Amino acid sequence: MSDTTDFSRRDFLITSGLGAGGLLLGFVLPRRAAGKRAAAASLSPNAWVSIDTDGIVTIWVGRSDMGQGVRTSLPMILADELEADWENVQIEQAYPDPRFEGLGTGGSASVRTSWRPLREAGATAREMLIGAAADVWGVPAAECTAERGSVVHTASGRRTAYGDLVEAAAERPVPENPPLKDPSAFRYIGTPMTMLDTPDKVQGKATYGLDVRLPDMLYATVARCPVFGGTVVDYDASAAREVEGVQDVVEITPIGAPVHVAHGVAVIANSTWAAMKGREALEVTWNEGSTAEETSETLREQFRTLVSEPGTTVRDDGDAEEALAGAARTIEATYELPYLAHVTMEPMNCTATVEEGRVELWAPTQTPTWAQGSVAQALNVPQDAVHVNVTLLGGGFGRRLNPDVCVEAALIAREVDAPVKVVWTREDDVQHDFYRPASHHHFRGGIDESGAPVAWMHRMSTPAIDTYIQGEGAEHPERGEVPGAADLPYAIPNIRVEYALAQSGVPRGWWRSVEHSFNGFVVNAFMDEMAEACGADPYTFRLRLLDQIDRTRVETMMNEIHGDLGDFAFDVDRYRGVLQRAAEQGNWGGPLPSGRGRGIAVHWSFRSYAAEVIEATVENGEVHVDRAVCAIDCGAVINPRTLREQMQGGIIDGLTQALKAEITIDGGRVVQSNFDDYHLMRLDEVPDIEVHYVQSGKPPSGAGEPAVPPSAPALAGAIFAATGTRIRRLPIRPEDLQTAQ
Amino acid sequence: MAAYTITVNGEEQTVDVPSDTPLLWVLRDELGLTGTKFGCGIAQCGACTVHLDGQATRSCITTIASADGSEVVTIEGLSENGDHPVQQAWIEEDVPQCGYCQSGQIMLAAALLEYYPNPSDEEIDASMAANLCRCGTYVQIRKAVKRAAQMQGGDQ
């Protein structure tokens, strides 16, 4: 790949037909149906690949595709090492089974953790095919090479297609350590491919969980207490049963941590509409429980108290309190961020059949094995009696990590003699999510007479994810909340970060970039405020504080907080590299039209480095985002189109949390219910987004989440530059904005 | 229940469902045409967009009774082989991520270009803003609509 990839130029190359041949083939040829081919014989040295006598290469995909393109990028990795002809590749979705390890999809880890295993899987088959050909020809294997679906004997030009070699190859021993390609020999990796599912998606042929249809299938909706943790006291199903199409009404007993199925009443009907209408006619008496006392205001009061007292220390360099007391100048700021909902475009659903000795699920799930185990436990059946079919996901963002919907479907299906699809409405989804935790952050900064930063004190509080998912007794809940804040890399001599656990009855879960979604904001925002107090520009301030670091001390600190990350240990040069690239491509310091400002932010998350420069204008109390430029260093890239799109999507998520989305609590229930009051960015509010890839030659790291953390703070910086107003809470409201003095 | 007749993708269909059943659920549950998607049920997201008597319409709030006798085109019927210019442009610009909203986006874009073959950037933004995408494909959608307009020869 070229050193810097400007995607707008690359797009032009692709569309004028000068791009990689693989792309053109990808959408011109019909994608082979991912069916079971009755191959006479095949070579299948491992679970991930199988080649038949027709030369068709079947690759199993061991991660769930929620739009991040793993059903193409993972096969690309294996197909490249194998030297398969991409034209002959078909894919199958893996499922919980002893032969498929590690199917959980999240943490931006799919490519990073599949990289080595899939390369080895492809290389193994390749070496067996080369060995088989060499045998047939009576030549040394070293004189033969694999080339796009054939083995070639270089000296004589003899060539045999894989299909003609599989039988012989399957007789050979499986090599233990097959040689892997030098990256300069990659054929597919690093090239812009059309995703294999795209043709189906544009024709409405792609099957998501909600689209699964089975003979005699029934549909179910579930009435749940609007107050979190509330229970069913009593219910009257008589009117519900009168609704045309309703077949049955059953109670769902609650399941606690870690699965969390709410106590509810399910209406089962012969159509989605009847199930929805039946639920409307249902009368349930709820015991709301103690969470009914909770509001956004009570949580805020709790937060204020918590950050006014010492918390659990998660970082302690020098003596921040003493340095603050002796500082020539101190500044302080409090930042507040709300609960956020995932709102995947495809509402929650799962289809289940429960028969004697066998359960089957069709689920848009990020965790098929957790779903399998949770269902097995809930139904008291052996784990291997539960078969999970992973469908396409209409969005995940971390919501589909939780197996609750799968368990609900199985519990309902157990009550009837038919498959059941449980369907959540958008209201169910908005009001019964596992929310990105609300957070509260109090910062104090100290500056000395020379204008250098000497102290950084950050007290933060959240109702941690772990204390909900695992339960109140979860140990070290701060470990899931402080990364991105505790590991501040800058050269400030006295740093103290403390965490205090808040109590809340609101369910919490993992939202795209998790704790980095709030820590990325507050750390960059306070760095900007410190820069101003030090009389420095936000960009050069960051550069200076990176150039001054003691690398050994930072390495030790990072090891203490993150453990040994090996190849993926924090690298200040890469952090500085993306910051610099974003500043350059974003014309930092360059002229701007009157009324427009520029902001910059950088963050390390999921082992990748991302920086953004955003331009914005504020007019009549409204923020207009004019331009967004992103620099990303995520190591080796599989499909640059997918990388570009993950950056675009991550930035839009960051802008959504900056400008639009907010979940508020009143009487222990969520106030919002649908897209009319839980707002998302719309197309006319999003500028062109420029993505610049920074080549580092490192192994692949995360791409799905790293673009989220820098977006909101870069926008806040732009608003400050345009108006002089500091943003201290998200989402930004008109009353938070002032016009420039 | 009563019988309602609609023509869907050129084929006459008669369904026996309650009058208030949204066209969306008739298409998906009764007729098995799952290309049209459920996203919100209150016409806020556009995932359910179909062409009803030639107009881009939100099928989640269109009752079967009100659609009786109408011609409906769904994503499945937009083209014979997935080769409508909008569909081709969507592939070339790599628009879909999860893809769940894209049936509705494509139907909206196809209707837009039917009426405004050469839309300005502002017209594209204003029209396509009606549909939500959670994955953030907006930048690519914009490019794809322009490309489709060019493919249809709209660049006079």
Side-chain angles (χ1 to χ4, degrees):
Chain A
M1 276 195 76
S2 63
D3 182 46
T4 64
T5 304
D6 176 335
F7 287 104
S8 54
R9 248 188 293 129
R10 191 167 260 277
D11 278 352
F12 176 71
L13 287 174
I14 292 164
T15 58
S16 52
L18 299 175
L23 169 70
L24 295 173
L25 288 171
F27 69 73
V28 166
L29 291 174
R31 185 179 71 81
R32 292 178 184 277
K36 275 87 176 127
R37 289 185 65 90
S42 66
L43 170 66
S44 188
N46 54 67
W48 304 111
V49 65
S50 171
I51 307 161
D52 71 16
T53 50
D54 289 338
I56 300 301
V57 177
T58 303
I59 299 178
W60 270 264
V61 180
R63 298 289 186 281
S64 306
D65 202 317
M66 44 188 154
Q68 86 289 38
V70 288
R71 278 167 57 95
T72 298
S73 52
L74 267 48
M76 281 168 71
I77 296 170
L78 192 156
D80 207 316
E81 282 293 346
L82 173 56
E83 271 294 319
D85 185 341
W86 188 247
E87 211 182 316
N88 289 334
V89 168
Q90 67 172 23
I91 56 177
E92 293 275 0
Q93 188 69 40
Y95 47 87
D97 187 272
R99 66 195 173 113
F100 293 125
E101 272 187 11
L103 302 180
T105 308
S108 299
S110 296
V111 170
R112 174 171 61 83
T113 59
S114 303
W115 178 242
R116 187 93 196 172
L118 289 181
R119 289 184 69 189
E120 285 172 358
T124 299
R126 182 195 71 221
E127 291 301 303
M128 292 167 82
L129 290 159
I130 288 174
D135 241 19
V136 167
W137 296 326
V139 301
E143 290 179 10
C144 304
T145 56
E147 193 183 287
R148 212 163 171 180
S150 297
V151 179
V152 181
H153 179 234
T154 325
S156 64
R158 275 177 288 184
R159 171 185 293 267
T160 306
Y162 284 174
D164 295 330
L165 294 166
V166 294
E167 280 174 308
E171 303 286 303
R172 302 177 68 80
V174 177
E176 294 246 320
N177 291 305
L180 301 182
K181 279 187 177 183
D182 186 272
S184 62
F186 285 151
R187 180 184 293 283
Y188 303 123
I189 295 167
T191 68
M193 300 283 248
T194 297
M195 287 186 265
L196 292 171
D197 292 314
T198 297
D200 279 352
K201 287 174 180 176
V202 304
Q203 296 180 71
K205 290 182 179 171
T207 303
Y208 301 87
L210 201 70
D211 302 327
V212 168
R213 287 171 67 80
L214 298 166
D216 303 318
M217 186 176 75
L218 298 173
Y219 304 79
T221 56
V222 180
R224 304 172 190 86
C225 185
V227 176
F228 295 113
T231 55
V232 177
V233 173
D234 203 355
Y235 65 95
D236 180 353
S238 50
R241 288 180 189 276
E242 293 298 303
V243 171
E244 192 153 8
V246 171
Q247 312 255 294
D248 205 354
V249 177
V250 301
E251 187 170 334
I252 312 246
T253 47
I255 296 178
V259 175
H260 294 289
V261 173
H263 198 175
V265 183
V267 176
I268 306 168
N270 61 11
S271 72
T272 310
W273 187 241
M276 289 178 179
K277 299 284 285 192
R279 185 174 65 170
E280 278 170 39
L282 191 62
E283 287 175 31
V284 187
T285 307
W286 302 104
N287 175 1
E288 290 187 347
S290 56
T291 302
E293 307 292 302
E294 185 173 338
T295 70
S296 291
E297 244 338 281
T298 61
L299 182 61
R300 198 163 183 239
E301 285 311 309
Q302 199 196 149
F303 277 152
R304 280 187 178 134
T305 305
L306 287 168
V307 302
S308 71
E309 297 156 357
T312 301
T313 303
V314 293
R315 172 80 179 273
D316 202 8
D317 292 3
D319 189 336
E321 286 283 16
E322 194 183 295
L324 279 165
R329 183 180 168 199
T330 62
I331 62 168
E332 68 182 294
T334 299
Y335 302 96
E336 302 174 79
L337 293 96
Y339 283 113
L340 293 178
H342 295 81
V343 291
T344 59
M345 209 62 225
E346 178 199 11
M348 296 300 118
N349 65 84
C350 179
T351 305
T353 58
V354 176
E355 289 154 4
E356 186 63 48
R358 184 181 159 84
V359 180
E360 189 161 0
L361 307 176
W362 289 259
T365 172
Q366 293 174 238
T367 51
T369 308
W370 190 13
Q372 181 197 40
S374 304
V375 165
Q377 187 165 26
L379 266 49
N380 198 22
V381 298
Q383 184 145 351
D384 59 15
V386 180
H387 185 72
V388 181
N389 302 287
V390 178
T391 66
L392 286 176
L393 283 63
F397 310 114
R399 173 60 179 96
R400 291 187 150 118
L401 290 167
N402 303 90
D404 58 309
V405 183
C406 297
V407 174
E408 251 183 14
L411 290 173
I412 298 169
R414 182 175 57 180
E415 304 302 309
V416 294
D417 226 345
V420 176
K421 173 185 293 175
V422 70
V423 177
W424 288 37
T425 61
R426 181 59 61 191
E427 289 80 6
D428 293 337
D429 179 55
V430 172
Q431 301 189 325
H432 297 278
D433 198 343
F434 291 68
Y435 303 89
R436 193 282 303 262
S439 66
H440 197 93
H441 306 256
H442 182 239
F443 282 87
R444 280 187 291 150
I447 297 107
D448 72 16
E449 315 75 20
S450 73
V454 292
W456 172 285
M457 175 97 179
H458 175 190
R459 274 199 185 135
M460 62 180 287
S461 180
T462 73
I465 296 168
D466 281 353
T467 52
Y468 183 72
I469 300 289
Q470 311 291 351
E472 299 281 311
E475 287 184 13
H476 296 296
E478 71 281 1
R479 286 188 185 157
E481 308 295 307
V482 303
D487 52 1
L488 188 76
Y490 298 106
I492 298 172
N494 303 281
I495 296 174
R496 179 116 170 204
V497 183
E498 293 175 11
Y499 175 85
L501 177 67
Q503 301 297 316
S504 171
V506 176
R508 285 90 63 192
W510 307 279
W511 189 93
R512 191 176 190 175
S513 80
V514 202
E515 71 277 17
H516 297 278
S517 68
F518 46 82
N519 289 331
F521 175 71
V522 302
V523 165
N524 277 285
F526 197 62
M527 278 295 286
D528 280 2
E529 300 206 39
M530 285 289 271
E532 189 197 2
C534 294
D537 162 283
Y539 170 52
T540 51
F541 184 66
R542 285 169 170 80
L543 284 182
R544 196 165 85 223
L545 293 186
L546 291 172
D547 291 342
Q548 289 169 359
I549 67 164
D550 175 333
R551 287 176 183 239
T552 311
R553 282 187 68 187
V554 169
E555 200 182 302
T556 306
M557 177 270 291
M558 287 290 181
N559 268 335
E560 267 170 26
I561 292 173
H562 296 291
D564 180 9
L565 293 181
D567 273 341
F568 300 102
F570 176 78
D571 182 336
V572 68
D573 294 322
R574 296 174 75 185
Y575 193 78
R576 199 188 188 290
V578 293
L579 179 62
Q580 193 168 348
R581 179 69 60 83
E584 282 163 8
Q585 295 295 333
N587 299 84
W588 187 263
L592 280 170
S594 144
R596 190 184 291 196
R598 221 182 243 125
I600 191 166
V602 58
H603 201 74
W604 176 63
S605 65
F606 308 96
R607 286 116 156 121
S608 292
Y609 305 79
E612 291 163 30
V613 168
I614 291 183
E615 292 175 20
T617 312
V618 178
E619 237 170 349
N620 303 320
E622 275 187 22
V623 176
H624 186 258
V625 185
D626 300 306
R627 185 181 181 214
V629 173
C630 163
I632 176 72
D633 177 354
C634 56
V637 172
I638 312 307
N639 188 341
R641 297 179 116 195
T642 301
L643 174 66
R644 170 190 65 189
E645 288 137 26
Q646 289 307 296
M647 294 300 111
Q648 292 171 348
I651 288 168
I652 292 172
D653 259 350
L655 295 176
T656 298
Q657 84 153 331
L659 293 169
K660 301 281 179 180
E662 182 177 22
I663 290 290
T664 54
I665 309 295
D666 196 12
R669 64 188 76 192
V670 168
V671 171
Q672 292 73 25
S673 62
N674 206 314
F675 294 129
D676 54 350
D677 54 12
Y678 187 78
H679 301 289
L680 301 177
M681 296 291 284
R682 288 187 179 268
L683 185 144
D684 61 346
E685 297 169 313
V686 169
D688 192 25
I689 298 174
E690 302 158 43
V691 178
H692 299 274
Y693 167 71
V694 178
Q695 175 87 278
S696 60
K698 301 290 184 184
S701 52
E705 291 163 286
V708 178
S711 313
L715 177 63
I719 290 169
F720 175 73
T723 67
T725 305
R726 287 292 179 197
I727 297 301
R728 300 279 179 80
R729 70 174 171 183
L730 298 184
I732 299 163
R733 296 161 219 195
E735 61 264 31
D736 298 336
L737 301 163
Q738 298 162 16
T739 50
Q741 314 290 288
Chain B
M1 293 226 288
Y4 300 97
T5 302
I6 50 176
T7 304
V8 183
N9 301 329
E11 274 185 44
E12 202 173 87
Q13 304 281 359
T14 299
V15 293
D16 212 350
V17 293
S19 62
D20 68 347
T21 308
L23 176 61
L24 171 66
W25 297 115
V26 170
L27 293 169
R28 290 181 58 84
D29 289 354
E30 300 301 313
L31 302 179
L33 293 168
T34 57
T36 307
K37 305 302 186 194
F38 170 58
C40 70
I42 60 166
Q44 286 289 307
C45 78
C48 66
T49 304
V50 297
H51 296 169
L52 185 75
D53 293 331
Q55 303 267 17
T57 304
R58 301 202 160 173
S59 62
C60 70
I61 54 160
T62 304
T63 64
I64 187 61
S66 72
D68 193 25
S70 291
E71 304 236 348
V72 180
V73 180
T74 70
I75 184 71
E76 292 95 337
L78 186 65
S79 67
E80 280 277 326
N81 303 308
D83 55 2
H84 187 285
V86 172
Q87 289 169 313
Q88 294 209 28
W90 245 241
I91 294 175
E92 284 170 29
E93 295 294 348
D94 212 44
V95 176
Q97 289 181 35
C98 88
Y100 189 80
C101 76
Q102 300 297 338
S103 299
Q105 304 277 5
I106 289 167
M107 296 307 281
L108 181 62
L112 167 66
L113 293 178
E114 183 85 19
Y115 281 94
Y116 301 101
N118 191 22
S120 67
D121 288 356
E122 291 72 26
E123 278 163 351
I124 293 174
D125 272 20
S127 306
M128 297 306 295
N131 279 25
L132 288 174
C133 169
R134 261 306 272 128
C135 295
T137 65
Y138 298 141
V139 176
Q140 300 308 110
I141 287 177
R142 236 190 237 124
K143 292 181 197 170
V145 174
K146 285 199 207 156
R147 184 176 194 76
Q150 280 163 23
M151 286 165 72
Q152 283 184 183
D155 51 356
Q156 276 85 20

